[in-house]
Amino acid sequence: MNYTINWENQTSLYNWVEQLDLICQDRAHIGLIGSVYFMGWTTTCLVVPPLSDRYGRKLIFLICISVTCLSYVWLMLTNNINVTISMMFLQGMITSGRLTVGYVYMQEFLTPKWRVVSGAAYNVIDGMTYLFMTVYFGWISKHYFWYCLIGFLYALVCLCVCVSLIPESPLWLLKVGKMEQA
């Protein structure tokens, strides 16, 4: 099938359609790209948070952010739909560590007075991702790569800051009896 994309059209985007040649892929493979993320997330929801209770918030969060950075790079560079599907599944799996454990990790540094405010701010900022995405694709650029690069750089900064500046959760340390470290 011959097709051409009208790049002058406001709704045309440089995205995975060209990179993965999705025009020639079957619908099941295309549907898996979005679905496997949630499959991966579901498979780890009951596993990853208890691991952070056992091994510490910081370790699990660092592992998940590290894998996020690697999977971002792989997603941006691959031309293979099967690799993309695998990376989306992997990103789903690490979401339990990034979001659930990361949220608890953040909350455990705060006094009860500030937990509600920071939780609300966290959710507002997370929700603004979609607003920023709309502004980005509507008025800034049609290239998804640069938007993904922003996510990669954000994850990389989080990784560097967490490794160098943020200690293990004091509440977790108290819970496991490491009073001197807390």
Side-chain angles (χ1 to χ4, degrees):
M1 169 195 313
N2 286 337
Y3 73 95
T4 57
I5 297 172
N6 178 4
W7 294 114
E8 301 302 317
N9 187 322
Q10 180 180 347
T11 60
S12 297
L13 299 174
Y14 295 94
N15 57 21
W16 282 344
V17 173
E18 291 74 41
Q19 183 176 338
L20 302 175
D21 194 22
L22 294 182
I23 295 294
C24 297
Q25 297 292 336
D26 62 288
R27 293 186 312 183
H29 265 81
I30 295 170
L32 279 174
I33 294 172
S35 301
V36 296
Y37 179 86
F38 297 103
M39 290 178 200
W41 193 354
T42 303
T43 60
T44 60
C45 277
L46 297 175
V47 177
V48 174
L51 288 174
S52 75
D53 290 341
R54 178 176 219 151
Y55 299 107
R57 313 281 188 248
K58 183 175 182 174
L59 176 65
I60 300 301
F61 184 71
L62 285 176
I63 290 170
C64 291
I65 290 293
S66 299
V67 174
T68 297
C69 290
L70 293 173
S71 64
Y72 261 124
V73 170
W74 214 328
L75 276 171
M76 290 186 293
L77 299 179
T78 189
N79 292 326
N80 185 313
I81 190 169
N82 293 320
V83 171
T84 298
I85 290 169
S86 300
M87 289 300 105
M88 291 302 289
F89 184 77
L90 182 63
Q91 284 214 344
M93 290 177 69
I94 56 180
T95 297
S96 297
R98 280 186 316 104
L99 295 184
T100 308
V101 174
Y103 182 80
V104 170
Y105 185 37
M106 173 190 72
Q107 291 286 313
E108 289 181 346
F109 283 100
L110 302 172
T111 61
K113 173 183 172 183
W114 288 103
R115 288 183 185 158
V116 173
V117 172
S118 69
Y122 175 89
N123 287 313
V124 166
I125 292 167
D126 185 47
M128 289 181 73
T129 304
Y130 299 104
L131 177 62
F132 180 69
M133 187 183 311
T134 303
V135 169
Y136 175 83
F137 287 120
W139 293 281
I140 298 173
S141 176
K142 292 182 172 191
H143 294 271
Y144 92 97
F145 179 86
W146 304 112
Y147 189 78
C148 285
L149 187 62
I150 293 168
F152 166 74
L153 293 173
Y154 178 71
L156 193 60
V157 167
C158 285
L159 178 64
C160 293
V161 167
C162 192
V163 165
S164 60
L165 299 176
I166 303 174
E168 178 57 79
S169 163
L171 290 179
W172 181 80
L173 290 169
L174 289 173
K175 179 183 164 193
V176 296
K178 298 181 179 181
M179 307 291 183
E180 66 283 348
Q181 292 177 354

